[in-house]
Amino acid sequence: MDWEDASKLKVNQLHELDEFRPKAYKSSVLYKEKMKRWHYAKILKREFYVGDDVLLFNSRLKLFAEKLRSKWSVSFMISNVYPSGAIELEDHAKKKFVVNGQLLKHYYVGGPGETKVELLCCKDPE
């Protein structure tokens, strides 16, 4: 074994790693920026206005979750929107309470793909 050649080889390998590190850092920064843009593009922008109908997320801790129960409670009407993101809701009994705006989603009665079906009455042919 030649100790001098082995030590030079190790030093050269360490120098190569030092040269590779900035490139790896730059590529990881580019990857993180790309993933951040992708995640921000997937976030739904929700804007709520006074008078909108919304559903409230039921976030109570349940030890035995019921499979067929919906996570979203009955519809509420927005009575006030605060600049901090808090929203004041009003239920059908005119009770008002304030919740975080992230627990809400819009409630569409008909839905986007609603189709109207007409009822046709047919008489028996005689």
Side-chain angles (χ1 to χ4, degrees):
M1 292 179 115
D2 190 10
W3 291 104
E4 194 172 314
D5 289 340
S7 66
K8 285 182 183 177
L9 180 64
K10 284 291 182 189
V11 168
N12 285 339
Q13 288 175 346
L14 289 174
H15 286 300
E16 287 177 7
L17 283 176
D18 286 339
E19 291 173 6
F20 180 71
R21 185 179 303 147
K23 293 177 185 175
Y25 177 75
K26 185 178 179 182
S27 67
S28 70
V29 168
L30 292 174
Y31 172 76
K32 287 180 182 179
E33 289 175 358
K34 180 180 175 183
M35 291 308 295
K36 190 185 292 186
R37 280 195 309 267
W38 184 80
H39 283 293
Y40 285 160
K42 297 295 178 187
I43 293 175
L44 296 175
K45 293 173 180 55
R46 298 180 185 168
E47 294 183 8
F48 297 106
Y49 301 102
V50 175
D52 286 351
D53 287 329
V54 293
L55 294 175
L56 178 64
F57 183 73
N58 188 4
S59 61
R60 284 183 276 159
L61 176 67
K62 294 187 175 109
L63 296 177
F64 303 103
E66 299 168 5
K67 289 186 178 180
L68 299 177
R69 187 172 181 175
S70 176
K71 296 183 291 185
W72 299 95
S73 61
V74 296
S75 67
F76 295 95
M77 190 173 73
I78 295 177
S79 61
N80 195 1
V81 178
Y82 297 104
S84 63
I87 295 178
E88 185 176 17
L89 298 178
E90 182 178 323
D91 63 356
H92 299 292
K94 302 297 183 192
K95 289 183 186 176
K96 292 185 179 184
F97 56 96
V98 179
V99 295
N100 186 354
Q102 295 178 350
L103 297 175
L104 301 175
K105 74 176 180 179
H106 286 284
Y107 176 61
Y108 300 109
V109 177
E114 179 185 8
T115 57
K116 293 185 179 182
V117 178
E118 293 181 16
L119 182 64
L120 298 176
C121 295
C122 298
K123 295 182 180 180
D124 274 341
E126 293 179 17

